[in-house]
Amino acid sequence: MQCVDVYLALGSNIGDREQTLAKACDLIRRRVGSVIAESKVYDTAPEGFLSEHRFQNQAIHVQTELNPLELLNVTQEIEQSLGREQKSTSGKYYDRTCDIDIILYGPMIWQSEALEIPHPRFRERLFVLQPLVEIAPEAVDPLTGKTIKDLYHGQTRST
């Protein structure tokens, strides 16, 4: 299989958050593919649930030969190896040591029970768009045809 450009969003809000993100990047490098770019780490408030713990968020650009479901399985294994105990389901979110979301997988649109690409809520989440615009301003959301830069500016104007 040919390498595909993939954009992942990483987050952590409990434990040594920055160390967890660094370990996640290292494991992604070893198990997923070449890390082409990493955004800086952003400190953000939790969204979608109440918590006293702030998040550290980061976006990374990876080139991988894994197909989407293989990528999902590997990223979930990495989350678990870094202490993630509970996945968010049905709109209910929890504090977590590590969260890795697949935001874009090349120009692919994918929908299954296990995975949706592009990530269904990334367009509304500044904690994803801000680090993503830093490393991939011209990447295109295949559903809307808009660049990450345009999506980011649309969110920053509306907040």
Side-chain angles (χ1 to χ4, degrees), residues 65-92:
E65 292 184 7
L66 299 177
N67 71 43
L69 291 178
E70 291 169 335
L71 178 60
L72 177 65
N73 288 334
V74 170
T75 58
Q76 288 184 342
E77 288 169 6
I78 291 170
E79 288 175 349
Q80 289 173 348
S81 76
L82 294 172
R84 178 121 189 216
E85 296 173 359
Q86 196 169 21
K87 287 298 285 182
S88 300
T89 56
S90 303
K92 185 161 176 63

Side-chain angles (χ1 to χ4, degrees), residues 18-59:
E18 267 195 77
Q19 183 66 28
T20 297
L21 294 182
K23 286 179 182 176
C25 283
D26 184 54
L27 289 168
I28 288 166
R29 194 174 277 108
R30 287 195 258 153
R31 299 195 53 205
V32 173
S34 299
V35 175
I36 305 304
E38 297 179 39
S39 75
K40 71 180 185 181
V41 174
Y42 292 83
D43 183 80
T44 63
E47 284 189 29
F49 72 109
L50 295 175
S51 175
E52 62 189 43
H53 306 287
R54 291 183 64 82
F55 273 87
Q56 297 283 300
N57 294 102
Q58 182 177 30

